[in-house]
Amino acid sequence: MTILFICLLPSVNVCAAKKDKDKDKITIVLDPGHGGKDFGACENGAYEKNINLAVAKKLRDMVIKELKDVDVVMTRASDVYLTLQERADVANDADGDLFMSIHVNSVDKKTPGRQSTKGSSVYVLGLHKDQDNMKVAMRENSVIELEKDYKEKYSGFDPSKDESYIIFEMAQKRNLGESIRVASDAQNAMVDIAGRANRGVRQAGFWVLWATSMPAVLVELDFICNPNSVKYMTSEAGEDELAKSLLKAIKKFVERRN
Ligand SMILES: [Zn+2]
């Protein structure tokens, strides 16, 4: 197992030369999931990639407006395709202090009652405790299959194979404590401010959380298979409230750092 872990390390760009950055400034990296040819989950007339981007852009503007001495770096600010490794590279090269990946959840087409499945959840890196969390990570990681030579690039990591996920159990992420604090603040705010059902803070093996060398969370705003949730997430008011919720967690993170 140790050998497997060591073999996988070179593909993670944690040792890349850091760009000079203003040491007094905190850098928040926002990662709107998917983009371009990678649509993410699509249902009820909505594309996940568009919801993720709309909320991330609002959040970026709020952070710039309300927080002094904070830089925001976006992995993408338009409808372009990026690999998971490229997202992690952007975050690591920017020497980010916090990485926040924004997504929309879905459940298997065969799941009964999926149209009424609802709620927000925020993930930190870890080994899934149940099959539901595992499925979310598998779906989000499966975007690497869009890359032709993903098996070489990701050192044999196969998003659809259970055994690939052992690496996340072994990764004692240095920043897990802070990641959990940010995840809890974001989760609570999505319930209080955005009125989302509370699905709690969870752990699962998301490649992009593993490859970033900073506190990192992955937000699942709500479910695209639920028509009411889609209506909310694609409305101006919904985008605003979701962005405000995530802003609250970022504000608390910045307060802890100052
Ligand atoms: Zn996604």
Side-chain angles (χ1 to χ4, degrees):
M1 284 185 196
T2 312
I3 295 162
L4 171 71
F5 186 49
I6 290 166
C7 292
L8 279 158
L9 272 178
S11 68
V12 182
N13 196 18
V14 289
C15 301
K18 303 268 158 70
K19 279 187 194 140
D20 284 344
K21 81 161 192 173
D22 186 344
K23 286 279 170 245
D24 297 332
K25 282 205 165 184
I26 291 171
T27 301
I28 307 292
V29 183
L30 300 181
D31 174 44
H34 314 279
K37 68 178 179 183
D38 169 13
F39 288 67
C42 311
E43 213 169 330
N44 292 308
Y47 294 150
E48 180 190 351
K49 64 174 186 173
N50 295 340
I51 297 172
N52 300 341
L53 183 61
V55 172
K57 281 164 89 171
K58 291 214 168 181
L59 177 58
R60 171 197 62 191
D61 295 346
M62 288 175 187
V63 172
I64 291 169
K65 196 172 159 212
E66 296 196 27
L67 292 170
K68 285 200 177 73
D69 295 325
V70 174
D71 275 339
V72 180
V73 171
M74 303 272 286
T75 55
R76 69 177 180 101
S78 60
D79 186 20
V80 291
Y81 169 72
L82 269 125
T83 67
L84 291 186
Q85 187 62 57
E86 283 166 343
R87 293 168 196 273
D89 289 346
V90 170
N92 292 332
D93 288 349
D95 201 7
D97 294 287
L98 174 67
F99 179 80
M100 185 178 274
S101 193
I102 300 172
H103 290 258
V104 176
N105 215 339
S106 185
V107 286
D108 223 286
K109 291 248 151 68
K110 285 171 258 164
T111 311
R114 60 194 293 281
Q115 289 204 320
S116 53
T117 305
K118 61 180 182 181
S120 304
S121 42
V122 185
Y123 283 85
V124 297
L125 182 73
L127 195 68
H128 57 281
K129 297 261 182 338
D130 62 46
Q131 280 305 312
D132 282 353
N133 293 352
M134 174 71 164
K135 278 183 194 158
V136 177
M138 276 184 170
R139 194 181 50 252
E140 300 291 11
N141 289 331
S142 72
V143 297
I144 70 173
E145 291 169 3
L146 293 169
E147 298 175 56
K148 265 199 308 255
D149 44 358
Y150 77 88
K151 283 208 170 129
E152 280 136 57
K153 276 205 207 140
Y154 292 84
S155 307
F157 178 83
D158 184 337
S160 63
K161 291 220 164 79
D162 259 20
E163 56 266 32
S164 290
Y165 287 79
I166 194 77
I167 58 165
F168 301 120
E169 184 182 39
M170 294 162 64
Q172 284 299 318
K173 187 123 178 161
R174 193 160 42 100
N175 298 304
L176 188 60
E178 188 55 35
S179 303
I180 291 171
R181 275 188 283 276
V182 174
S184 315
D185 290 340
Q187 181 62 36
N188 291 337
M190 285 196 288
V191 174
D192 294 343
I193 298 171
R196 299 298 87 197
N198 192 354
R199 297 177 67 87
V201 171
R202 294 161 180 239
Q203 280 192 298
F206 292 90
W207 176 275
V208 78
L209 297 183
W210 185 61
T212 41
S213 52
M214 63 204 73
V217 299
L218 188 143
V219 178
E220 296 281 1
L221 298 169
D222 205 328
F223 283 81
I224 207 158
C225 45
N226 180 322
N228 290 330
S229 299
V230 168
K231 211 168 164 191
Y232 177 78
M233 288 187 287
T234 54
S235 70
E236 196 74 22
E239 289 170 2
D240 272 339
E241 286 177 1
L242 290 164
K244 257 183 216 157
S245 308
L246 303 178
L247 174 70
K248 191 168 177 190
I250 292 172
K251 275 185 177 168
K252 287 189 171 181
F253 171 80
V254 171
E255 276 165 25
R256 285 195 294 276
R257 283 291 165 106
N258 285 331

